[in-house]
Amino acid sequence: MLGRLPALPEPPAWAGRDFRLLVSASLVANIGNAGATIAAAYAVIDQGGSATDVGLVVAARTLALVVFLLLGGAMADRLPRQRVMVGANLLNATSQAAFAVLVLTGSPALWTMAALAAVGGTGQAFFSPASEGMVLSTVDSAHAGKAFSVYRLTMNGAIIGGSALGGALIAAIGPGWVLAVDSAGFLCAAALRGRLRVPAAPRAAGSGSSIVGELREGWREFAARPWLWGIVIQFGIVNAVVTAAETVYGPLVAREHLGGAAPWGLAVAAGGVGTFCGGLLMVRWRPRRMLLAGTLGIFPMALPAAALAGAVPVLPLSTATFVAGVGVEVFAVGWMLALHQEIPEDKMSRVSAYDWLGSISLTPIATALSGPAANAFGRTNALWGCAAMVLLLTGAVLLVPDVRRLEHRPKTVTVPVGPAGAAPVPAGQAAAPVADGPDAAPVADGPAGAPGAS
């Protein structure tokens, strides 16, 4: 006679219904999306596509993302953010389903794959600004750090499993079915997010009544902070060259030297393991100079391009992506701490839209030109150039004083001090618990342009 199965552990008291729904939606969507990123490249390659063709499809998605980002940011500050996220998920589900049908039933033309990629980029343009701050909307501030950690670790775990599983499934049954799984994941995520009951983001009194007016307000917030636009300029180029290296050149190097999609999926998954371990590190480590520590974590992002340039075996390539993943997560924590500390909540989505726009605006150009660049200079030289650009630009952004000096400021809470009213008290000294201390470091989304529309 079989014994009773052990009961599943109860979630902590702070992890309420809405937080569990948000985490579940991210888990489902990111498992499918991680594999679909690899599947899209191999769908093009399987049709005889070249590096230029892969680059054009990637560029089409990013170009649509760039075009619609500002509108997405303005709408996310006007409408309930979860509704914007649900609509974006449904759009992505539709585009991935159509992509899957075309791949499974015939030989899709390059322009159709590019067009469907552009639809997916449009969904991401609305999703990404709306997703900023959603974790904070589902938990009380005393547990925000733990909530960020659980959310980010869950997402990274999904990326690890999705990348490895996606690479294996592409090798076994082809990219079309992986795209179909991604479509189903987006539908499930939309259903889960549709059940959220979170308060609408606050809107400042006197904010612009028009889209243009509200975007102008967001631009003033963005342009007033040199550390913000300095790092965004840096990532505009870094994201471009890293994306070209890892989404265009990476699958081709893997096909020629590593054995195809399965080992490439393992290398991508190793990057996810790195971000997961980086998240565990940042749960306990909160550097005082958050942007300085985060920027130093970007130097390892040059390693995967260098490893691909040397056509190294899968183990050292996976080591390079792992170390880069740890560095990205160190940056992600510092970046989101700085944003949530310095940017007013009612302008967060608009500032995030400018962040995303600057960070990925050059990516479609880089991916579209990656094939011609490989033809002109050689793929190996192009990859070495990508690695060099990461190192040079990361060094350059350290010259911005605020990047080196901006410090984490303890949050203040209001506690009663008698009949006269209340006084602000630094976090850690107040009677009420606050989101601070070594176990409360927010681990939110990484640099703009890195996450998908999930």
Side-chain angles (χ1 to χ4, degrees), residues 48-411:
S50 64
T52 300
D53 296 331
V54 176
L56 288 173
V57 172
V58 175
R61 178 184 180 89
T62 313
L63 181 61
L65 175 59
V66 169
V67 168
F68 290 102
L69 259 174
L70 293 183
L71 178 60
M75 297 304 294
D77 275 340
R78 281 177 162 240
L79 302 174
R81 288 173 181 167
Q82 70 269 28
R83 294 185 184 178
V84 177
M85 295 167 69
V86 168
N89 283 167
L90 292 174
L91 183 61
N92 283 124
T94 302
S95 66
Q96 292 295 71
F99 203 159
V101 169
L102 287 177
V103 173
L104 290 171
T105 60
S107 300
L110 180 64
W111 74 267
T112 60
M113 291 188 283
L116 290 170
V119 175
T122 302
Q124 185 178 354
F126 284 85
F127 178 91
S128 297
S131 67
E132 296 291 348
M134 282 300 295
V135 173
L136 289 177
S137 298
T138 62
V139 297
D140 63 78
S141 60
H143 300 97
K146 293 179 181 178
F148 272 125
S149 300
V150 171
Y151 180 81
R152 184 73 180 184
L153 291 172
T154 301
M155 184 180 71
N156 289 334
I159 293 172
I160 295 166
S163 297
L165 180 61
L169 288 176
I170 292 166
I173 58 178
W177 288 109
V178 177
L179 293 167
V181 168
D182 190 33
S183 174
F186 276 121
L187 283 175
C188 183
L192 291 170
R193 288 174 174 134
R195 298 178 60 198
L196 291 171
R197 296 193 297 263
V198 296
R203 298 193 64 192
S207 61
S209 59
S210 68
I211 294 289
V212 173
E214 294 190 354
L215 288 175
R216 190 180 295 117
E217 287 181 349
W219 172 254
R220 285 195 292 266
E221 291 287 340
F222 177 85
R225 296 169 171 82
W227 62 266
L228 178 55
W229 53 259
I231 289 179
V232 168
I233 291 173
Q234 171 207 12
F235 264 94
I237 302 174
V238 168
N239 276 334
V241 297
V242 168
T243 300
E246 296 185 5
T247 64
V248 179
Y249 299 144
L252 295 170
V253 172
R255 184 182 64 176
E256 296 173 10
H257 299 283
L258 301 180
W264 177 240
L266 291 175
V268 174
V273 175
T275 59
F276 187 87
C277 292
L280 292 176
L281 169 67
M282 297 310 290
V283 167
R284 290 296 175 186
W285 178 47
R286 175 172 291 177
R288 182 168 57 91
R289 297 187 180 183
M290 48 197 173
L291 288 182
L292 175 60
T295 300
L296 293 175
I298 295 305
F299 282 108
M301 287 183 69
L303 292 176
L308 289 169
V312 301
V314 66
L315 180 58
L317 175 60
S318 298
T319 302
T321 60
F322 172 84
V323 175
V326 174
V328 166
E329 201 68 9
V330 172
F331 174 83
V333 174
W335 184 244
M336 292 308 298
L337 275 172
L339 288 180
H340 284 282
Q341 175 176 288
E342 302 293 327
I343 306 300
E345 173 63 20
D346 62 289
K347 299 180 178 67
M348 177 63 75
S349 290
R350 281 167 285 171
V351 171
S352 175
Y354 284 112
D355 171 16
W356 274 83
L357 180 64
S359 297
I360 53 87
S361 58
L362 295 179
T363 300
I365 299 173
T367 52
L369 294 179
S370 55
N375 294 333
F377 306 109
R379 188 169 63 209
T380 298
N381 290 332
L383 282 163
W384 283 120
C386 292
M389 290 297 290
V390 173
L391 297 177
L392 290 172
L393 289 161
T394 304
V397 84
L398 289 173
L399 300 176
V400 179
D402 285 344
V403 172
R404 302 192 308 271
R405 299 172 185 168
L406 185 64
E407 296 184 1
H408 171 67
R409 296 192 301 271
K411 294 182 179 180

